[in-house]
Amino acid sequence: MSWNLLVLLALVFAAGTSALVYALRLAGVEDGSPLNVPAPENLADQAWREEPIQTFMWQVQVARYWQPPFRRR
C-alpha cells in the first residue's frame, strides 16, 4: 500500500514540476522572451493579460448590474 502511495506522489510531483516548468517557459521567465504567445485580438483580451484582477472585477460588476431586457422593471 505504501509503495502505491509513493509512486502516486512521485507521479503527481513530476506532473506538477513539468507543468510549472512549462508555465515558466511560456511566460518567458528563463530568457526574457515568451514562447508562442499570440497577440491579443481585442481590447478585452489585452486588458485581461495586463490587469487580470481588475478586469475580472469589472466583469463581475457588469454581470451583477446588467439585466436582460425581459427582466427590466
Side-chain angles (χ1 to χ4, degrees), residues 5 16 18 32 34 49 55 57-58 60:
L5 185 60
S18 65
R49 290 185 184 192
T55 304
M57 293 306 295
W58 175 77
V60 167

Side-chain angles (χ1 to χ4, degrees), residues 33-73:
S33 61
L35 301 175
N36 301 331
V37 177
E41 296 177 4
N42 54 23
L43 291 176
D45 191 26
Q46 181 178 357
W48 179 257
R49 290 185 184 192
E50 292 176 359
E51 298 177 338
I53 302 298
Q54 290 85 352
T55 304
F56 174 72
M57 293 306 295
W58 175 77
Q59 291 171 344
V60 167
Q61 292 297 323
V62 168
R64 183 176 180 188
Y65 291 109
W66 182 80
Q67 294 180 354
F70 54 85
R71 291 188 61 203
R72 288 193 181 139
R73 295 176 190 187

